[in-house]
Amino acid sequence: MNEKITTFLNSGLLDKYLLGETTSAEAEIAESFIARYPEIENTYNIMQHNLEVVVKANAVEAPKSILNNILDELDNTPVVKLNIVKKYKKWYKFSVAASVAALIFASSSMYFYDQNQKLHSETLVVDDEINDLRGDIAKNNEMLDSVMRQLLKLNNPETEKYIIKGNERAKDLKTVAYINPSEKTSMIDVVSLPELPEEQCYQIWAELQGKMVNLGILDKADRQLRSIPYMEDALALSITIEPKGGNTIASMQNSVAQIKLQ
């Protein structure tokens, strides 16, 4: 890798371009390097994949009820049309017309008052929904910060990626482990886990000095990128089928996946 490519990768411009934080001039520079150098294009593609992994792992479906409730409230707000029709009466009916007009005015005033109170109540409901939405936005911002931290870990050149596939007993099993020896961190992304009977579960282990160390249970309902204990000098990772709740000793006769570590 020549010095020009190394300098560009160390500048952080590729990371900014991936996250959409570059100026137009910086974007042109990044796109030029991606187009000219296959090494940079390959690095960019890997970073895009890592970003997709992190976003998928932290994705939370936005609640549909909030916007729908607001729109429903606005749609149900009454629209009052006033039609003023002038009717000319003879002079001897003026007093009767005035009385009727007074009654109509009183009834209309009461109607508008009731509608105003109802609209006020509906406005309070909408305000509550908006406050809830703001709370969700704050939570999403916190989640975004977490995503960025995870993305930085995945894009770290020291992070090693291990794809763990199932054997004949669990052909559809697939998980991806990300291990960074320099930062002493380990993460795992559960891609797919075959169904198990209710009384069983999948458990992941690290082989360390002839012992199997428990790293936790893999739950199909918890498909997300998450941290697992880092085991220094671990030789391999194994996944076994254990009784529900996990086991203290690995049942290697029920091993469904294993991968050697560098």
Side-chain angles (χ1 to χ4, degrees):
M1 186 178 295
N2 64 44
E3 183 177 352
K4 195 171 185 179
I5 295 175
T6 302
T7 301
F8 174 79
L9 292 176
N10 291 336
S11 69
L13 185 58
L14 193 60
D15 298 81
K16 290 177 63 179
Y17 179 71
L18 177 67
L19 299 175
E21 297 179 350
T22 54
T23 63
S24 57
E26 290 174 332
E28 290 181 5
I29 295 174
E31 291 167 357
S32 173
F33 272 85
I34 293 172
R36 290 171 56 190
Y37 300 103
E39 297 93 334
I40 294 178
E41 181 183 10
N42 182 57
T43 300
Y44 178 67
N45 290 336
I46 292 174
M47 292 171 66
Q48 278 188 315
H49 171 74
N50 290 342
L51 179 59
E52 291 174 1
V53 170
V54 173
V55 171
K56 179 203 72 173
N58 292 273
V60 176
E61 185 177 358
K64 299 179 180 178
S65 61
I66 293 177
L67 182 58
N68 291 336
N69 289 344
I70 293 175
L71 293 177
D72 289 343
E73 292 296 339
L74 293 178
D75 289 340
N76 292 331
T77 301
V79 178
V80 180
K81 297 182 179 180
L82 298 178
N83 296 318
I84 302 175
V85 181
K86 296 183 179 179
K87 295 183 179 181
Y88 295 94
K89 302 291 183 178
K90 293 182 179 181
W91 65 272
Y92 56 85
K93 292 185 178 179
F94 282 174
S95 60
V96 176
S99 300
V100 173
L103 290 173
I104 293 175
F105 176 77
S107 299
S108 299
S109 298
M110 183 60 69
Y111 171 76
F112 287 129
Y113 175 78
D114 291 340
Q115 293 301 316
N116 183 63
Q117 291 298 108
K118 182 179 180 182
L119 182 60
H120 177 69
S121 299
E122 292 170 349
T123 302
L124 293 178
V125 172
V126 173
D127 288 342
D128 289 340
E129 297 286 0
I130 292 175
N131 288 333
D132 290 341
L133 183 59
R134 287 173 178 168
D136 291 336
I137 292 174
K139 292 179 181 178
N140 288 337
N141 287 336
E142 292 178 2
M143 184 177 297
L144 180 60
D145 290 338
S146 174
V147 167
M148 291 301 101
R149 287 193 295 270
Q150 290 179 341
L151 182 61
L152 289 174
K153 290 181 180 180
L154 294 189
N155 289 336
N156 190 319
E158 299 295 326
T159 299
E160 299 168 357
K161 178 180 178 180
Y162 299 92
I163 298 176
I164 309 172
K165 295 183 179 180
N167 57 23
E168 291 296 323
R169 301 186 60 179
K171 293 182 179 181
D172 295 332
L173 184 149
K174 183 179 179 181
T175 61
V176 183
Y178 299 89
I179 300 176
N180 188 314
S182 62
E183 294 186 358
K184 301 187 184 304
T185 59
S186 298
M187 294 186 294
I188 191 164
D189 179 24
V190 178
V191 180
S192 62
L193 289 175
E195 293 285 351
L196 281 177
E198 187 177 351
E199 66 276 7
Q200 293 180 329
C201 70
Y202 292 102
Q203 194 165 351
I204 185 167
W205 309 82
E207 182 181 340
L208 183 65
Q209 298 177 351
K211 297 180 181 180
M212 302 302 292
V213 181
N214 174 28
L215 299 183
I217 294 173
L218 301 181
D219 190 350
K220 184 177 180 180
D222 187 30
R223 290 181 180 175
Q224 61 179 345
L225 187 66
R226 63 182 179 88
S227 297
I228 57 175
Y230 174 78
M231 292 289 123
E232 193 166 4
D233 298 328
L235 301 176
L237 293 177
S238 298
I239 299 176
T240 62
I241 298 176
E242 304 292 348
K244 183 177 180 180
N247 211 343
T248 56
I249 300 176
S251 304
M252 297 309 297
Q253 70 275 15
N254 293 330
S255 176
V256 292
Q258 186 177 41
I259 189 169
K260 296 292 182 181
L261 301 181
Q262 296 177 0

